[in-house]
Amino acid sequence: MHALTALFLALPISALAGSHEPWAHRRRAQHWTRNEPVTFARRGVTYKLSDNFSGQALLDNFNFYNQADPTHGLVQYVDAQTAKNEGLAVVQDDGVVKLNVDSTTQLQAGQPRKSVRLESKKTYNSGLFIGDFFAMPTGCGTWPAYWTVNGNEWPNGGELDIIEGVNLNTDNQITAHTGPTCTLSGGHINAALGHLVSPTCTSSADSNSGCPWTPQGNASYGHNFNVQGGGVYAHLWDSTGISVWFFSRGSVPGDITSGNPDPSSWGQATAVFPNTDSCQTTKHFHDHTIVINTSLCGDWAGNAFNDGGKCTGTCDAWVADPSHFKYAHWAIASIKVYQPQN
Ligand SMILES: *[C@@H]1O[C@H](CO)[C@@H](O)[C@H](O)[C@H]1NC(C)=O
Ligand SMILES: *[C@@H]1O[C@H](CO)[C@@H](O)[C@H](O)[C@H]1NC(C)=O
Ligand SMILES: *[C@@H]1O[C@H](CO)[C@@H](O)[C@H](O)[C@H]1NC(C)=O
């Protein structure tokens, strides 16, 4: 779905330094069958907080990307100083980080609007990632995403979109993009709570819809997510694959809230990308940065702008009016990364 994300290849990712785990200890790919246990979070593993990205620490540990949007969004991503000066990245008194789209400047149709895109300074090869959001951008023209990517060798290093959608969508899409070849298979696929739209994760510049899952329920994205007070997207990435859980605000497990997360107690995941012979996740995903961005229009939101008939006219004209972006913000409680305790 990231049409032309290949262009991303040509762009510098400012920080790919960071943790790098040796792959020498990887377990062999496993075969999953319908008879195997349906959750593959290992029991008896204790996870310890390694990165607490909340409040000012969130802004300090992410780079502000300020190049052109590779997916042709009508956005101007701004640097940290501009974001601070113009109130586009704000730490509220309660510690919540707001990432806003400029909602004051009247533009001409076709001019880009200021927005922010954050990329973690650290890169990851595994971990338990818990993103807690009170709100996410929504509305005609918006294309928000919370995702992880190997920006240097897309699609070969993999991309995992944890939150992504456009315009007035009500369903989130949790999607993996990989190099050749990765097709999801096995019993875990049937057991997961979400709906698998397509099993083919292998992506290229010409064929980049990836393998999207849509969560169950109606609160996973956009307005419905926000009116419930948002929620938590947690994902566990280890040698058995990647599992993603969605919990709306009212159903966040107590062990997450208390800071002692135990994924083996969470029940079926929403979306799974198990490590199997048909998709060796241990090869396809490595050296990921965490990214949060809000694009406008562009290859997905722009092309789908009139779908469903609720966003009318052109996306370019819509973006010119600042009042349309009052609610196009992320309100981030925290992004926490935990690692298994040895
Ligand atoms: C995480 O960081 C926030 C903001 O600095 C702080 O309030 C909170 O206590 C920290 N949590 C832990 C578990 O260290
Ligand atoms: C969402 O689902 C809940 C429970 O199934 C239901 O009560 C509610 O009306 C739904 N909301 C919308 C906006 O569809
Ligand atoms: C964020 O940036 C990525 C890579 O540049 C792009 O593929 C994606 O479409 C953008 N999404 C948003 C929401 O800006």
Side-chain angles (χ1 to χ4, degrees):
M1 99 199 47
H2 296 305
L4 299 174
T5 311
L7 287 175
F8 192 31
L9 284 169
L11 294 165
I13 279 227
S14 25
L16 282 172
S19 70
H20 193 113
E21 292 183 10
W23 286 107
H25 304 300
R26 273 193 320 231
R27 299 202 321 185
R28 297 191 47 161
Q30 297 176 17
H31 301 266
W32 304 105
T33 71
R34 274 163 207 270
N35 298 326
E36 279 174 301
V38 283
T39 176
F40 56 112
R42 291 187 202 128
R43 287 175 207 285
V45 178
T46 303
Y47 290 92
K48 194 168 175 279
L49 185 62
S50 76
D51 297 300
N52 176 11
F53 300 133
S54 342
Q56 189 60 40
L58 172 61
L59 299 183
D60 291 346
N61 286 286
F62 281 65
N63 292 315
F64 284 72
Y65 167 101
N66 65 346
Q67 316 283 315
D69 182 353
T71 48
H72 308 108
L74 207 48
V75 281
Q76 180 192 344
Y77 289 128
V78 299
D79 61 29
Q81 194 59 49
T82 308
K84 190 177 174 197
N85 294 347
E86 303 193 8
L88 301 183
V90 178
V91 181
Q92 295 183 160
D93 291 344
D94 61 0
V96 172
V97 174
K98 290 277 284 291
L99 303 179
N100 300 313
V101 171
D102 166 25
S103 61
T104 58
T105 312
Q106 179 67 47
L107 301 168
Q108 304 287 320
Q111 279 189 307
R113 181 165 291 289
K114 286 179 184 165
S115 180
V116 293
R117 166 171 158 149
L118 298 185
E119 299 179 349
S120 65
K121 293 181 179 173
K122 222 169 157 177
T123 62
Y124 298 90
N125 285 289
S126 63
L128 174 60
F129 302 77
I130 301 189
D132 187 334
F133 303 91
F134 290 121
M136 61 173 295
T138 184
C140 294
T142 58
W143 177 1
Y146 162 56
W147 53 302
T148 74
V149 69
N150 179 325
N152 284 353
E153 31 182 319
W154 193 94
N156 292 328
E159 168 179 337
L160 177 72
D161 305 316
I162 303 137
I163 302 180
E164 189 177 27
V166 293
N167 301 319
L168 299 174
N169 280 12
T170 55
D171 281 338
N172 183 31
Q173 288 198 5
I174 301 166
T175 309
H177 299 268
T178 69
T181 54
C182 167
T183 303
L184 301 183
S185 67
H188 288 294
I189 305 304
N190 303 320
L193 298 177
H195 166 68
L196 180 59
V197 180
S198 159
T200 309
C201 307
T202 310
S203 299
S204 66
D206 297 332
S207 173
N208 60 3
S209 43
C211 48
W213 288 84
T214 52
Q216 74 284 9
N218 58 17
S220 67
Y221 186 85
H223 176 73
N224 287 349
F225 177 86
N226 293 345
V227 294
Q228 314 234 6
V232 166
Y233 274 91
H235 70 280
L236 177 61
W237 174 15
D238 64 19
S239 60
T240 68
I242 301 169
S243 300
V244 185
W245 287 262
F246 165 61
F247 304 108
S248 61
R249 183 61 57 202
S251 56
V252 178
D255 57 287
I256 289 185
T257 316
S258 71
N260 302 294
D262 176 11
S264 74
S265 72
W266 297 344
Q268 291 308 328
T270 301
V272 295
F273 305 91
N275 184 35
T276 62
D277 282 352
S278 69
C279 182
Q280 288 187 282
T281 55
T282 50
K283 284 196 177 141
H284 289 300
F285 298 86
H286 58 91
D287 302 301
H288 276 211
T289 50
I290 304 168
V291 189
I292 307 160
N293 54 351
T294 309
S295 189
L296 302 174
C297 305
D299 293 337
W300 188 11
N303 292 341
F305 190 70
N306 299 128
D307 292 1
K310 288 189 180 147
C311 301
T312 53
T314 66
C315 198
D316 285 12
W318 185 263
V319 166
D321 182 342
S323 72
H324 292 159
F325 299 95
K326 270 190 215 145
Y327 304 106
H329 54 239
W330 293 96
I332 308 170
S334 60
I335 295 171
K336 291 181 175 163
V337 186
Y338 295 80
Q339 297 294 349
Q341 204 165 18
N342 293 319

